Structures are given as C-alpha cells and as structure tokens.
Amino acid sequence: MLPELDEKVVRERIAKRIALDFDNGAVVNLGIGIPTLVSDFIPHSVRVIMQTENGVVGAGPAPEEHDLRFIGAGGRGLSLIPGSSIVSSDMSFGLIRGGHLDATVLGALEVDEEGNLANWWIPGKLIPGMGGAMDLVSGARAVYVATTHFDKKGRSKLVKKCALPLTGAGVVSTIVTEYCVVRKRDGHMVLTEIAPNVDVNELLEKTAMSFEVSSDLCLMKGIEEECCCEEASK
C-alpha cells in the first residue's frame, strides 16, 4: 500500500521539493493552492524573484501577521523582500506574456503523458474564471505542476490523456506529487525521484499515466529534513 500521509505533510513535501529546483536569480510565478507554499521553502542561500499576477515583483513568504495590503493573486498574504516592486496589472502580464518568467508553478485537475495540463474547469461547475493560467503556461520557460497524486475519489490525476478542458497543450516540464517527481525528457515522461516507502511497481500500477523509470532513480530531495522533523516531534 502507498503510505497515507497527513495533508500538511503532503502539501509541504510537494512545495519544498519544487522550491529546491530553482537557481539563484530565477523569476517565478506561483499559482493558487499548493504552489503558494513554495515561497516558504526557498533555501536561504538562494534568491528567487517571485512575481504575482496582480502586480508584485519580489514577493516573499507569508508574514506572521496577515496584512491585506499585501496579497498574491490568490488572496494569500505575502511579504515584500528588499528591492521588490509593486507594478500595474498590465505590466505584470507584460512580463508573463513577454517570456520573462523562468518558471511557473501551477496546480492540476489532470496532467497527461503528452505534458498537457487541465487545471481550470470541470464542466458543469460554476467558476469565477481562468485567471492568468493560459498566459503563464505559454509565457514561462518551465511549467511545474504541484499536485496530489490522486483526487478525493482516489483516481489518478496523472492520466494517459486529459479529458477536461486544457489550460495548455504540451506545456508541462515537471510534475511533483507527494510520491514522486516526473520530468519530461525528449518528449517522454520519466520518473526521476520517488518518496520513501513507495514501491515503484505499485506506483506504476496505480498511476493512469505511463512513464519511463530513470536509470538513476533516486529519493525525493528534501525528504531527509522532513524525516528529521518528524523524529524530533516524537
């Protein structure tokens, strides 16, 4: 059986792993949900410039005291790091559409073998709108998907072919779930990292998406620290 994890552990594990992928000076946009947590786990030695759709360049992690003057596009509180700027919405989207983002991190309803992403609408349900997701997946150099491996009904969110309306076609670079990291390499999805106590064959069996297993498959980065924290809390 795949290990059952506390929701907080799931969300933080995914966000922490993605945070470790960014180089010093990278310009990154975070979507709503799990992606918003990524800024809380950027290593102190790395300076990542977080950009928000509603007009912040240089957003920091959520402050201890919520200040409604400083929020991201999803409504989560944020801090302003030294050198940050507040810009207009048209300038913000100019940065996105102009190809100035190194990466964006988005959630998913479905992501498939071709790197297609569906993350904005389930037909029949009322929604406020797409937001800037289509702009982000077409403007960013790399698209990270931060998602739980299964939906609330236990169905794999990593699928063979997306059935829901697409946000973007062939745009996904990397998928991070609580159980693994999957990267797109030469047009193929490749399992590159796996969480502890997860059997590769069982994961392959329970995942609707087919992917190759890297010859240098390793443990998910950031797990060691997580395990140490768990031991310390006992």
Side-chain angles (χ1 to χ4, degrees), residues 190-216:
V190 181
L191 178 68
T192 60
E193 299 177 30
I194 195 163
N197 304 314
V198 174
D199 180 77
V200 174
N201 291 327
E202 183 182 7
L203 188 67
L204 289 169
E205 180 183 337
K206 293 185 176 180
T207 305
M209 174 189 289
S210 296
F211 43 72
E212 301 173 9
V213 179
S214 174
S215 58
D216 56 355

Side-chain angles (χ1 to χ4, degrees), residues 23-44:
D23 296 326
N24 201 37
V27 181
V28 179
N29 179 287
L30 305 177
I32 62 174
I34 294 175
T36 61
L37 302 177
V38 171
S39 61
D40 296 344
F41 297 102
I42 300 296
H44 294 299

Side-chain angles (χ1 to χ4, degrees), residues 5-224:
L5 303 169
D6 177 79
E7 181 181 354
K8 183 174 184 290
V9 171
V10 168
R11 291 167 61 85
E12 292 188 353
R13 175 183 289 184
I14 294 169
K16 185 184 300 181
R17 177 61 194 89
I18 292 175
L20 295 175
D21 243 32
F22 299 134
D23 296 326
N24 201 37
V27 181
V28 179
N29 179 287
L30 305 177
I32 62 174
I34 294 175
T36 61
L37 302 177
V38 171
S39 61
D40 296 344
F41 297 102
I42 300 296
H44 294 299
S45 59
V46 178
R47 185 175 186 273
V48 174
I49 302 170
M50 295 294 180
Q51 184 265 1
T52 73
E53 294 158 63
N54 61 331
V56 177
V57 180
E64 292 184 5
E65 294 186 10
H66 191 60
D67 187 336
L68 291 177
R69 294 177 300 169
F70 305 111
I71 60 174
R76 182 176 187 257
L78 52 81
S79 56
L80 301 178
I81 64 173
S84 61
S85 299
I86 297 176
V87 301
S88 63
S89 182
D90 59 338
M91 172 66 77
S92 177
F93 274 85
L95 292 172
I96 295 169
R97 295 168 180 167
H100 301 289
L101 297 185
D102 292 297
T104 185
V105 185
L106 300 171
L109 294 169
E110 294 177 334
V111 56
D112 71 23
E113 295 176 10
E114 298 176 8
N116 299 324
L117 173 64
N119 80 338
W120 71 285
W121 184 41
I122 297 176
K125 291 194 174 184
L126 293 176
I127 59 169
M130 172 174 285
M134 282 188 173
D135 299 281
L136 288 165
V137 298
S138 61
R141 296 185 184 93
V143 175
Y144 284 76
V145 169
T147 180
T148 55
H149 207 92
F150 304 100
D151 65 17
K152 293 180 179 179
K153 294 184 178 180
R155 298 171 299 196
S156 173
K157 295 173 76 172
L158 282 61
V159 299
K160 293 193 73 65
K161 187 73 174 178
C162 288
L164 297 174
L166 294 185
T167 306
V171 295
V172 175
S173 310
T174 301
I175 306 165
V176 179
T177 78
E178 69 272 36
Y179 296 126
C180 66
V181 176
V182 177
R183 299 188 189 272
K184 191 175 183 181
R185 292 179 175 173
D186 299 323
H188 302 283
M189 290 300 184
V190 181
L191 178 68
T192 60
E193 299 177 30
I194 195 163
N197 304 314
V198 174
D199 180 77
V200 174
N201 291 327
E202 183 182 7
L203 188 67
L204 289 169
E205 180 183 337
K206 293 185 176 180
T207 305
M209 174 189 289
S210 296
F211 43 72
E212 301 173 9
V213 179
S214 174
S215 58
D216 56 355
L217 180 69
C218 63
L219 188 69
M220 283 179 70
K221 294 179 182 178
I223 296 292
E224 297 88 346

